[in-house]
């Protein structure tokens, strides 16, 4: 299921925590993100650091360990996956797609 949300009134450079829920009462684990810095703060800091990748692969995803390490270390301001989700996401009753999405 895809969830789409519009967030307004976020305070710059602030950590936010959230869960995704269903009408049935089911809830996800807690996730988090940090809002963007304000314009003045951006002028006085180094350029933003992006990780941009495509065709990452799951079985031979050689870039994945370094991407995870940089993300967990807080070295990236944004991560963009630009495409090539060429896996058979529904095979093995969806387990193949689930594994790939967890890995990325």
């Amino acid at each position: 299921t895809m969830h789409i949300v519009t967030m307004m009134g976020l305070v710059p450079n602030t950590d936010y925590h959230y869960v995704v829920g269903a009408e049935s009462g089911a809830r996800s684990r807690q996730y988090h993100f940090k809002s963007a810095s304000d314009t003045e703060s951006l002028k006085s800091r180094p350029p933003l650091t992006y990780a941009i990748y495509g065709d990452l692969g799951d079985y031979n995803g050689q870039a994945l360990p370094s991407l995870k390490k940089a993300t967990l270390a807080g070295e990236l301001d944004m991560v963009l996956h630009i495409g090539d989700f060429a896996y058979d996401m529904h095979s093995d009753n969806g387990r193949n797609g689930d594994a790939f999405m967890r890995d990325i």
Side-chain angles (χ1 to χ4, degrees):
T1 301
M2 181 181 294
H3 301 277
I4 298 173
V5 138
T6 300
M7 293 180 257
M8 299 167 55
L10 298 177
V11 177
N13 203 34
T14 301
D15 289 313
Y16 288 92
H17 299 262
Y18 66 97
V19 297
V20 179
E23 290 179 7
S24 68
R27 298 282 184 258
S28 70
R29 67 178 177 89
Q30 188 177 77
Y31 296 97
H32 65 94
F33 69 94
K34 188 173 193 173
S35 58
S37 297
D38 60 52
T39 306
E40 288 304 310
S41 297
L42 289 174
K43 290 179 183 177
S44 65
R45 63 167 276 186
L48 297 175
T49 303
Y50 298 154
I52 303 171
Y53 65 96
D55 196 13
L56 181 65
D58 193 38
Y59 300 109
N60 190 23
Q62 295 179 19
L64 192 55
S66 60
L67 182 61
K68 283 183 177 180
K69 182 179 176 184
T71 301
L72 292 172
E75 298 171 358
L76 302 173
D77 295 298
M78 181 182 290
V79 178
L80 297 174
H81 189 297
I82 58 172
D84 198 359
F85 289 116
Y87 292 99
D88 186 2
M89 297 292 203
H90 68 278
S91 68
D92 194 20
N93 199 29
R95 289 180 185 89
N96 188 42
D98 289 348
F100 176 71
M101 297 307 280
R102 273 194 302 275
D103 286 346
I104 66 167

